[in-house]
Amino acid sequence: MGTTNNHRQALIDSLDGLYAELVEEAKHVAKDFMAEASTIEGGTRRQVKILIQVKQHTPQSWGIYWAKNTATPGQPASPLTINKGAGDKYLMATFSSVREPLKTVCRTYEQRLALIRAACRQNRVLRRTLDAHVRQVAKALHNR
């Protein structure tokens, strides 16, 4: 039974490590977006009306969202999360109120974020499945 727990822990740690890498990539994408969006017109820094949030819900659950910046100029960002709906992607219509060229930038970043969200979701599903399988194996080995 000790070997089973060691194998389980190694697999769980590996999945958690991959998940952490995905979350870090999402944070990196959010920073890149903010840098690009804040200097998109004329190279001067300006306030961005839309931003990317990477929020931790539980110790092992993160969310990657678009948000409206409701702060006044000169104040820190005050994000209001935009509802994504079902699935891993925001609808392209989400960005219809954003003016060009920022709209194109948002849509490009959303494609990348959708891939990260899908990989995160699959990772968490695999982790739950692995946990259930290990419990089943432990029960089968315990009943020998």
Side-chain angles (χ1 to χ4, degrees):
M1 182 103 145
T3 304
T4 302
N5 283 337
N6 291 341
H7 288 230
R8 175 195 171 276
Q9 195 57 48
L11 290 169
I12 293 292
D13 289 347
S14 178
L15 287 172
D16 288 348
L18 289 171
Y19 189 72
E21 286 182 44
L22 289 165
V23 169
E24 285 305 311
E25 179 64 15
K27 289 177 182 179
H28 181 72
V29 168
K31 282 182 188 177
D32 288 350
F33 172 79
M34 185 57 76
E36 186 173 346
S38 64
T39 59
I40 200 164
E41 292 175 5
T44 58
R45 291 200 52 86
R46 64 181 185 91
Q47 184 175 9
V48 179
K49 302 274 187 216
I50 190 166
L51 49 93
I52 299 169
Q53 287 182 305
V54 182
K55 296 194 299 190
Q56 186 172 19
H57 299 292
T58 68
Q60 298 191 10
S61 173
W62 290 78
I64 305 164
Y65 307 102
W66 286 94
K68 292 180 183 179
N69 184 0
T70 58
T72 55
Q75 298 296 318
S78 177
L80 179 63
T81 302
I82 299 171
N83 186 13
K84 179 179 61 57
D88 300 317
K89 299 177 183 179
Y90 274 85
L91 297 174
M92 289 299 126
T94 302
F95 310 107
S96 61
S97 64
V98 179
R99 288 187 283 169
E100 289 293 353
L102 185 57
K103 182 187 294 189
T104 302
V105 172
C106 289
R107 289 177 173 170
T108 300
Y109 275 85
E110 173 52 23
Q111 290 173 352
R112 177 77 181 120
L113 292 173
L115 292 173
I116 294 170
R117 283 188 210 99
C120 284
R121 180 184 44 76
Q122 291 167 351
N123 181 286
R124 296 296 86 180
V125 167
L126 186 56
R127 189 182 196 279
R128 285 190 297 275
T129 302
L130 178 64
D131 262 347
H133 176 67
V134 169
R135 283 192 305 273
Q136 183 179 18
V137 168
K139 186 176 179 181
L141 293 176
H142 183 69
N143 288 329
R144 293 195 240 183

